[in-house]
């Protein structure tokens, strides 16, 4: 994450933002969507409540797990409802501002990093109009709720509802194409990666944590505060060699 930030700062100070124009939108979409698909595929066993390993085939009772069916159905209904709202609600002034950024992709802009512009660019490539502007925002908003539930293990339903209901942005502004939505998503990814790193520090867990930090900072610079306060809450992390790799 440090190297990524240093590279971004150096390119920005040197005025090399035009280099991003040399990378076609399909290439950027391919890398971003492939990463999303890999993360989603790796979490399907936990989401569905079944064992999808090559050694063991799921039984009928596992596939028809009522809790998994209710959870999957609820997320699917929420996703469909938000997609409908996203396509029918007129674009706000802020969203139009970020849409303009998507027409001129760069490493950063006057008041925000490039993540929101990239998500809008990818969305309008797939769908026209309001739905395209908000498509990936809606996906990230629903995915954030799912990640919060997965982070609370063993399941504490009261804590889950308190967190979700108090995150008004996910409920009221969950369809709005603003930088806060990807920030919340990658913050959840960060805590998931941090939990794995804290339980077992390896090269791969360190690299996963570094990527989560980089994505937070590409979404909104406020992500730096999350990293700082997390480190202060567990200062012993500095004694681990793999922490410096992050």
């Amino acid at each position: 994450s440090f190297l990524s930030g240093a590279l971004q700062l150096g390119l920005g100070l040197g005025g090399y933002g035009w280099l991003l124009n040399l990378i076609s939108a399909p290439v950027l979409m391919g890398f971003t969507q492939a990463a999303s698909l890999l993360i989603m595929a790796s979490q399907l066993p936990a989401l569905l409540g079944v064992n999808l390993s090559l050694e063991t085939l799921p039984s009928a009772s596992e596939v028809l797990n009522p809790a998994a069916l209710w959870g999957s159905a609820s997320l699917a209904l929420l996703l469909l409802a938000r997609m409908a709202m996203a396509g029918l609600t007129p674009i706000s002034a802020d969203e139009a501002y970020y849409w303009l950024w998507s027409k001129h992709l760069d490493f950063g802009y006057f008041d925000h990093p490039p993540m929101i512009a990239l998500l809008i660019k990818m969305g309008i490539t797939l769908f026209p109009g309001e739905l395209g502007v908000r498509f990936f925002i809606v996906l990230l908003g629903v995915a954030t709720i799912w990640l919060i539930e997965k982070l609370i293990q063993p399941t504490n339903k009261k804590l889950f509802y308190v967190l979700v209901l108090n995150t008004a942005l996910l409920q009221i502004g969950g369809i709005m194409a603003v930088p806060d939505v990807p920030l919340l998503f990658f913050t959840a990814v960060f805590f998931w990666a941090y939990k794995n790193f804290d339980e077992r520090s390896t090269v791969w867990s360190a690299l996963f944590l570094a990527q989560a930090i980089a994505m937070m900072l590409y979404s909104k610079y406020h992500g730096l505060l999350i990293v700082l306060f997390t480190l202060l809450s567990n200062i012993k992390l500095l004694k681990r060699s793999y922490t410096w790799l992050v």
Side-chain angles (χ1 to χ4, degrees):
S1 57
F2 172 76
L3 292 176
S4 177
L7 179 62
Q8 182 182 8
L9 179 61
L11 291 173
L13 293 176
Y16 290 102
W18 58 269
L19 289 174
L20 193 60
N21 295 325
L22 301 179
I23 305 176
S24 63
V27 173
L28 294 174
M29 288 174 55
F31 276 103
T32 307
Q33 293 178 2
S36 302
L37 289 174
L38 286 174
I39 294 175
M40 291 169 61
S42 66
Q43 294 305 307
L44 278 177
L47 175 63
L48 300 177
V50 298
N51 184 1
L52 297 180
S53 64
L54 295 176
E55 294 79 10
T56 306
L57 293 176
S59 64
S61 60
E62 289 179 318
V63 175
L64 299 177
N65 184 338
L69 290 176
W70 275 110
S72 301
S74 299
L75 285 177
L77 288 174
L78 178 62
L79 182 61
L80 289 175
R82 289 192 173 182
M83 285 294 181
M85 291 175 61
L88 297 174
T89 306
I91 294 293
S92 67
D94 284 347
E95 290 176 301
Y97 179 49
Y98 301 135
W99 170 82
L100 185 61
W101 289 0
S102 72
K103 297 296 183 181
H104 307 279
L105 291 179
D106 212 328
F107 285 103
Y109 301 92
F110 178 72
D111 48 358
H112 287 300
M115 182 62 70
I116 185 64
L118 180 59
L119 292 173
I120 293 175
K121 180 68 174 181
M122 291 163 52
I124 60 178
T125 304
L126 297 176
F127 303 100
E130 288 84 351
L131 179 59
V133 172
R134 297 166 173 154
F135 180 75
F136 285 100
I137 297 300
V138 172
L139 287 181
L140 294 185
V142 175
T144 302
I145 296 175
W146 175 72
L147 276 174
I148 291 174
E149 192 275 334
K150 291 301 174 185
L151 282 170
I152 304 173
Q153 296 294 341
T155 303
N156 186 332
K157 293 183 179 179
K158 290 184 179 180
L159 178 58
F160 168 72
Y161 289 126
V162 167
L163 287 175
V164 172
L165 294 177
N166 279 278
T167 312
L169 179 64
L170 284 179
Q171 315 312 320
I172 301 174
I175 67 168
M176 307 301 291
V178 293
D180 303 87
V181 177
L183 174 64
L184 283 174
F185 171 74
F186 287 114
T187 298
V189 174
F190 164 75
F191 282 117
W192 179 29
Y194 169 67
K195 181 180 178 182
N196 292 333
F197 180 78
D198 191 44
E199 292 174 353
R200 186 176 60 178
S201 298
T202 64
V203 173
W204 294 112
S205 63
L207 291 177
F208 181 31
L209 183 58
Q211 288 300 313
I213 294 173
M215 292 300 100
M216 275 201 306
L217 296 180
Y218 277 126
S219 300
K220 205 170 182 180
Y221 298 124
H222 295 72
L224 184 62
L225 296 176
I226 298 171
V227 178
L228 176 61
F229 287 118
T230 301
L231 182 60
L232 291 176
S233 69
N234 189 5
I235 202 68
K236 293 181 180 179
L237 286 173
L238 296 176
K239 297 180 180 180
R240 302 184 187 182
S241 57
Y242 286 118
T243 301
W244 299 99
L245 177 61
V246 177

